[in-house]
Amino acid sequence: MSARPVALIESADRALPVPFRALRGVEVVSADALDGTAPERWSGAIVGMHADQRRLAAGAGIAALLRAGRRVLFNGHHAYPVLPGVEPFRPLGRRGGDALALTPLRDHPVFHGLDRAGLARRKGVMGFYGRGTVPPPPGARPVTGIGADGRAVDWDWEPPEGGGVFMHAGNDIWTVAERADDRVRIAGNCVAWAAGEPAR
Amino acid sequence: MMRAAATHAGTYYHRAALEERAPFAGLPVRLIDADRLAEADLRDLDVLLVTDRTPAVLIDRAAPRLLDFARRGGRLFVFGENGDYAWIPGLRWTARPTNYWWWLTGDDPDLAVDAPDHPLFAHLGVRELTWHFHGTFARHDGARRLVSVPGESGAREALMVERPLGAGSVVATTLDPFYHHGSYFMPATTRFLDGFAGWLAGDPPAQAAGA
């Protein structure tokens, strides 16, 4: 792993989520840390669902990271233009039944060592994972589909300006597993992927 | 319509709940950037909403201004997941295990409106107030209990209180409707905000408390 940490972008409270507490190579920051900081400080970034997206979009930090060839793993609903060329979140209108069922479409290092079928529900309830989609940009590879139409709730993309993006258009992906050790595993996978480790 | 403002922390759920979705998208509510709350001009407001999941570090920085707003006659609402509320005189918040699954396990939260005469509860009943909750106010010196749930000792504990302060008041609750409504998750939170917006707008009462 790179000697530089991965930036985990949380709210201004900068609380480190529990699954990351035993991990190395991650620095929790708030969005203002990316206002004017050169991207060489971090090997990549994870945007948490509680991040101030308005501030990230107003600054140039995420775009600068991508131009420098870094990876950005995005959690939450894309509500401001944080990621250049990426559209806003669209909720799925229909509910009930399998309206929020998940379909794995492609392997991805974020899910290394996980049973993806077990991530669709918590306590038998769907919806924690995601409740809509961020349309994949041209060239993006859908990783997980949601709903009857299998629209992408997760996708992987190499933007034209450089770097890589993994989109998870739902709750923080390290919270969707039932078991604590699986949540730690996902957090570790996120850090490894954002740091630029090759796929295993 | 009361002259109202709400904090907006730049998250997706603040944007959805305050700017994109009914009922707030249609209301003339001023939005205050949470990171500028400590410098915000609050003089023209009747009501200020510190929405849930406004970062505690930003609330703490703004606390003197928020309390001054209440003392001057404002009605200050502080929603859930906003730190420990220690800056509000007399309040002591206690974490309780959050039961997200009460509706699966049959564990009715047994929530009660304790102040049905309060104008809020002409718009909010038990059905609008019931989802999971993030702790209670074990102590609320000088504050009136508005909504309660059974405590672990058997005595009821406060989920929402109102504390008079100077010429105004602070209403504090551990409920977090803006986050869930803005996340398209938990329909009860949408019902809550519909009712709350009706109170803000001065709409005719929708229902009796406890309905």
Side-chain angles (χ1 to χ4, degrees):
Chain A
M1 190 178 291
S2 166
R4 287 174 298 209
V6 167
L8 172 56
I9 306 166
E10 289 287 322
S11 81
D13 286 334
R14 289 186 290 158
L16 184 65
V18 171
F20 290 88
R21 289 186 184 166
L23 298 178
R24 300 174 66 167
V26 61
E27 177 189 5
V28 65
V29 300
S30 49
D32 58 301
L34 281 83
D35 281 352
T37 307
E40 53 267 21
R41 179 172 161 192
W42 298 294
S43 56
I46 299 168
V47 180
M49 64 185 288
H50 301 296
D52 183 345
Q53 290 189 25
R54 181 177 52 196
R55 187 148 186 170
L56 285 176
I62 294 291
L65 279 169
L66 292 172
R67 278 198 308 276
R70 309 284 198 267
R71 288 174 173 170
V72 176
L73 193 153
F74 189 97
N75 296 274
H77 303 170
H78 193 241
Y80 292 86
V82 175
L83 296 165
V86 176
E87 292 183 34
F89 173 80
R90 296 178 190 170
L92 290 179
R94 290 173 298 136
R95 289 297 174 85
D98 290 334
L100 299 175
L102 303 178
T103 308
L105 300 172
R106 182 177 272 103
D107 286 339
H108 194 278
V110 163
F111 301 110
H112 180 77
L114 274 295
D115 170 17
R116 291 172 73 183
L119 303 180
R121 299 166 188 264
R122 288 195 62 186
K123 312 278 190 194
V125 178
M126 290 186 288
F128 283 85
Y129 194 94
R131 295 168 296 280
T133 179
V134 172
R141 298 173 291 273
V143 173
T144 309
I146 188 168
D149 303 333
R151 296 181 193 192
V153 62
D154 301 326
W155 45 258
D156 180 275
W157 182 46
E158 289 163 12
E161 55 268 66
V165 171
F166 181 81
M167 167 62 65
H168 170 64
N171 288 359
D172 283 332
I173 197 161
W174 52 86
T175 68
V176 302
E178 199 86 78
R179 289 165 36 141
D181 58 342
D182 283 341
R183 295 196 284 270
V184 172
R185 184 182 292 273
I186 296 171
N189 290 346
C190 289
V191 173
W193 184 84
E197 284 192 359
R200 284 171 286 189
Chain B
M1 176 76 194
M2 295 182 219
R3 297 171 299 173
T7 59
H8 184 320
T11 68
Y12 77 79
Y13 42 86
H14 284 104
R15 181 161 208 185
L18 294 167
E19 298 184 78
E20 296 175 343
R21 299 194 72 189
F24 276 76
L27 288 180
V29 172
R30 175 153 68 96
L31 303 181
I32 297 177
D33 289 1
D35 52 9
R36 299 198 183 111
L37 182 60
E39 299 84 40
D41 185 351
L42 309 176
R43 286 174 299 184
D44 61 338
L45 297 173
D46 303 312
V47 178
L48 174 60
L49 312 180
V50 179
T51 57
D52 40 278
R53 295 177 195 265
T54 297
V57 65
L58 304 179
I59 296 173
D60 287 347
R61 199 179 296 160
R65 181 166 294 235
L66 298 177
L67 294 173
D68 183 64
F69 166 74
R71 289 192 179 100
R72 289 171 179 269
R75 304 179 93 160
L76 175 65
F77 282 80
V78 183
F79 288 88
E81 293 292 85
N82 274 339
D84 62 6
Y85 308 82
W87 56 279
I88 303 172
L91 283 199
R92 198 182 79 197
W93 172 79
T94 305
R96 279 185 46 181
T98 299
N99 180 5
Y100 294 101
W101 315 104
W102 60 271
W103 47 281
L104 285 176
T105 58
D107 297 326
D108 185 341
D110 191 20
L111 180 143
V113 173
D114 299 315
D117 57 316
H118 192 288
L120 265 181
F121 303 112
H123 299 269
L124 297 174
V126 168
R127 190 164 172 269
E128 286 73 33
L129 291 156
T130 299
W131 63 97
H132 63 264
F133 55 89
H134 298 276
T136 57
F137 300 109
R139 284 189 59 177
H140 47 89
D141 299 341
R144 177 190 189 192
R145 199 174 75 191
L146 302 183
V147 177
S148 65
V149 290
E152 286 164 343
S153 68
R156 295 192 74 84
E157 294 179 2
L159 210 60
M160 184 185 292
V161 297
E162 181 169 44
R163 190 188 197 288
L165 204 62
S169 69
V170 182
V171 172
T173 179
T174 65
L175 294 170
D176 57 347
F178 290 92
Y179 163 64
H180 290 290
H181 177 66
S183 297
Y184 298 87
F185 207 30
M186 288 192 200
T189 63
T190 301
R191 292 194 293 269
F192 177 98
L193 290 180
D194 284 343
F196 192 84
W199 173 77
L200 272 181
D203 290 346
Q207 60 188 60

